Each structure stands twice: as C-alpha cells, then as structure tokens.
Amino acid sequence: MEAQTTTFSPQKVEAFLGRVVTDFGAAFGVTLAYIGDKLGLYKAMAFAGPLSSEEVAERSGTNERYVREWLINQAAGGYVEYDPDTKKYSLPDEHAMALTDENVPFHVAGGFQVINGMIKSDERILENFLTGKGMCWGEHHHNLFEGTERFFRPSYLGNLLNNWLPSIEGIVEKLNSGITVADLGCGYGSSTIIMAEAFPKSRFTGFDNHAVSIERAQKLAKSKGLLSRLTFEVAGAQNFNGSKYDFITFFDCLHDLGDPVGALKNCFAHMNDDGVIMAVEPMAGITIQDNFNPVGRIFSGASVLCCTPNALASGGNALGAVATDAALEHVARKAGFSHFRRATETPFNRIFEIRK
C-alpha cells in the first residue's frame, strides 16, 4: 500500500499555532488574575497612579520578586499599562472598577475565581468523559460557590430590577402589592436578597440543595434585617415544598438540573393558577454554530466542567449551558406549561416567562 502524502498549508499551521499561543497566555493570565484579585494586587493599584513593582508589593503586603513578573504578565495581557520612561505601571481607572468594585454591573473578578474552582475538578471530569458519570455542584472546590456569587451578583444588580423583572408581564406591580416568591437554586441568595430589599411587601423563600450555600445566604439575610420576610431552606427544585407561590424564579440554574421536567412539574404543583416563572438562562444560539464566539466558548466550557456534570449526577437529563430556546421550551411544555416566551435578553443572558 502506498503511503499517502498529506498536503497542508503552512499559513494555516502558523495561524493555528498563533491561536494556541494566545490561549496559553490567556490560561496563565486567568490564573495570575485570580492571584491578583485574591492578594489585593489590583486594589493596591486602583486609582493610585503609576507604581513601581516595589510600591505595588509594599501596598499589597506581597513579595516584590513575584510582583515584578506578575506586572509584566498583566501588561502583556493589556490589564495594566507600562511607562518605559518611568519604569512604572498603572491600572487604568476603567479596569480598576471592573476588577475591584463589586457593586458595578461589569465587575469581573469573580469570574477568575469561578474558573479557578472549575479547573480544580479536571481529574474528575477526565474520568467522567470515560465513564459518563457526573459530579454534583457541592463536590466542587469552594472557589466555585464563592466566585459564582461574586460574578453573577453585579449582573443581577445591573439588570434584575431595571430590565428582567419589568419584562415579565405584570410582575413588578404584583411584587409591589405583596406576593409570595420562591427563588430556586438560589446559592448564596444574591438574587433573593436583591428582590426582598426592593419589594418589602412581598415574602421570599430561597431554596438550594447545597447546605453550605444556604447557611451563607441565611447569614446574609440576617445581617440585612430581612428575616421577617425572607428565609432560606435546603431543598432542590424537584422537592421544595411550602404554600403555593405567585412567582418562581430560576437564576442561571434550570439547565443545571438533572430532571428539569420534574422540577418544573413541582413548580406547576406549587404555583397559583395566575402565577409565573422567570427563568434566567445563559445566552446561547439557535444553531450550534451560533455559539462559535467568545460568549459561546465560555458557556460551553462551563457546561463541560460544571453544568453537565451536575445534571448527569442528579438525574441524567443534561440540558447544558448552551441549551436552545426550543430545548428549554420543550421541557416546560412537557411539564404542563402552555405559555413560554423569551421576554428579554442581554449579551450574556436570556430571560424566559413561563405560565400555566
């Protein structure tokens, strides 16, 4: 048999290697950004003007020898700026806000912590590729839980009250008048607390099957003086109880569930006839190729490392983070709901309205 001669384009090889090198640098950059956030290096530089590596180290209480090349890495990635004349580094004010102010809607530092937490599960995920098994949310490193709250809370602050809730027909008026609300998969309770603070006449219950998160959420609610009308309970979407609710929410978690149909059936049973579900889901395309962009790359990666493993471990029906509108509508209608629509969207999220 004659050996086949493979022809290839040197230009395509070069272009591909360029992408790989860029990804190598990004991988190191994310890890070093996590370290910069964790050790307060960004906060040491924020709004401080040009600083030398010695000054950054002194202001952050860290070792200058490590800070020296951390700064080179950050300048190479475009996070900080370098002046060759003064040999000093500056963190632009806009970057400083995104990296250090957790109350602006574009705060991103929590994302570095999320990725760090997910990557720590790599050996388990490798095994899951071979066995088809899963990995529950609570089995991940604590950086995932902490980072998720830090990463998603700014988006909730920026969008929930001003955009998402007004897109659900009639719900703002009802919340102002006073209704009962169940927030499913609430995690540390950021979404629940934001709503409870905004609508004092309504009563809220946050549910999550991760006991550590619920303990944290309860402490936060207590510190804000909300326990008279806000509580948190350990329960999943498939088995939460209580009286019937007027409004049920899923924030970035419906696609994580192993039995989304069963969860929505339970919602159907615990919803008043004129009640409504708001499901906030990651932005995904209608077709596979619609996800071939930076946002789709992030969400499909998170789905492999976290969302799909949790679904496979907890029931087996893995929608995944890039589930289409049609896939989500299918499970809603299978659960008995007759109304399903995309109410609004942001570059990173789709918001769905689901009714009986």
Side-chain angles (χ1 to χ4, degrees):
M1 180 182 296
E2 292 186 12
Q4 290 185 331
T5 301
T6 302
T7 60
F8 63 88
S9 164
Q11 292 80 12
K12 287 186 177 180
V13 172
E14 184 176 349
F16 174 67
L17 293 179
R19 293 192 186 100
V20 172
V21 169
T22 298
D23 285 350
F24 285 168
F28 282 120
V30 166
T31 298
L32 291 178
Y34 165 73
I35 290 171
D37 173 55
K38 187 78 171 177
L39 296 181
L41 295 170
Y42 293 125
K43 288 184 178 180
M45 299 184 71
F47 314 109
L51 298 170
S52 66
S53 59
E54 290 85 1
E55 289 170 322
V56 174
E58 182 179 357
R59 290 171 65 92
S60 60
T62 55
N63 181 274
E64 187 277 334
R65 186 61 190 85
Y66 284 98
V67 170
R68 192 185 312 170
E69 278 157 12
W70 180 85
L71 284 166
I72 292 173
N73 172 273
Q74 296 295 291
Y79 281 37
V80 306
E81 296 175 350
Y82 178 68
D83 184 343
D85 294 327
T86 63
K87 294 182 170 53
K88 290 192 174 186
Y89 297 84
S90 300
L91 181 64
D93 290 350
E94 296 80 3
H95 300 194
M97 287 190 292
L99 291 166
T100 66
D101 188 348
E102 301 203 2
N103 293 311
V104 297
F106 48 85
H107 178 69
V108 296
F112 303 128
Q113 192 173 7
V114 168
I115 293 170
N116 180 271
M118 287 186 183
I119 289 174
K120 292 181 188 300
S121 68
D122 60 338
E123 292 186 3
R124 180 73 174 273
I125 302 303
L126 274 169
E127 180 184 341
N128 289 345
F129 264 81
L130 299 174
T131 65
K133 294 180 180 179
M135 180 178 181
C136 288
W137 170 265
E139 297 180 83
H140 282 271
H141 189 273
H142 63 82
N143 271 344
L144 178 58
F145 323 135
E146 296 170 10
T148 295
E149 192 272 340
R150 293 180 65 211
F151 186 62
F152 284 93
R153 179 175 171 272
S155 178
Y156 298 162
L157 286 171
N159 292 291
L160 176 53
L161 301 179
N162 298 325
N163 182 9
W164 297 348
L165 289 175
S167 74
I168 307 300
E169 185 178 354
I171 200 61
V172 173
E173 292 80 4
K174 290 182 177 181
L175 285 164
N176 280 320
S177 298
I179 57 174
T180 55
V181 182
D183 187 13
L184 305 182
C186 65
Y188 279 19
S190 290
S191 51
T192 336
I193 289 170
I194 290 170
M195 291 188 291
E197 288 181 319
F199 303 104
K201 292 185 179 180
S202 292
R203 299 183 65 85
F204 298 83
T205 305
F207 296 98
D208 200 291
N209 62 13
H210 187 229
V212 174
S213 291
I214 288 297
E215 182 180 355
R216 170 67 172 162
Q218 193 75 0
K219 288 180 179 178
L220 288 172
K222 183 178 180 180
S223 71
K224 293 177 176 291
L226 296 171
L227 291 184
S228 63
R229 51 193 178 82
L230 167 61
T231 188
F232 291 95
E233 298 180 16
V234 179
Q238 294 165 239
N239 56 20
F240 76 94
N241 287 307
S243 58
K244 290 198 172 184
Y245 296 92
D246 302 297
F247 187 40
I248 296 176
T249 57
F250 291 88
F251 285 88
D252 293 289
C253 64
L254 180 59
H255 66 272
D256 295 321
L257 304 180
D259 182 11
V261 174
L264 288 173
K265 282 184 177 179
N266 194 38
C267 291
F268 194 101
H270 287 90
M271 242 173 72
N272 289 319
D273 288 341
D274 62 346
V276 59
I277 293 173
M278 181 180 74
V280 178
E281 283 288 301
M283 179 55 72
I286 296 173
T287 67
I288 290 176
Q289 58 268 30
D290 288 339
N291 297 304
F292 297 166
N293 53 63
V295 173
R297 192 181 191 192
I298 291 169
F299 287 142
S300 60
S303 193
V304 172
L305 293 172
C306 177
C307 309
T308 295
N310 183 78
L312 292 176
S314 60
N317 185 352
L319 284 169
V322 289
T324 62
D325 291 27
L328 294 165
E329 181 173 2
H330 175 74
V331 299
R333 294 193 181 280
K334 196 170 180 180
F337 291 94
S338 61
H339 174 90
F340 182 96
R341 74 177 181 96
R342 187 193 289 202
T344 191
E345 63 185 58
T346 69
F348 295 101
N349 289 102
R350 297 164 292 165
I351 289 74
F352 297 101
E353 178 185 289
I354 306 172
R355 297 179 186 270
K356 291 185 176 180

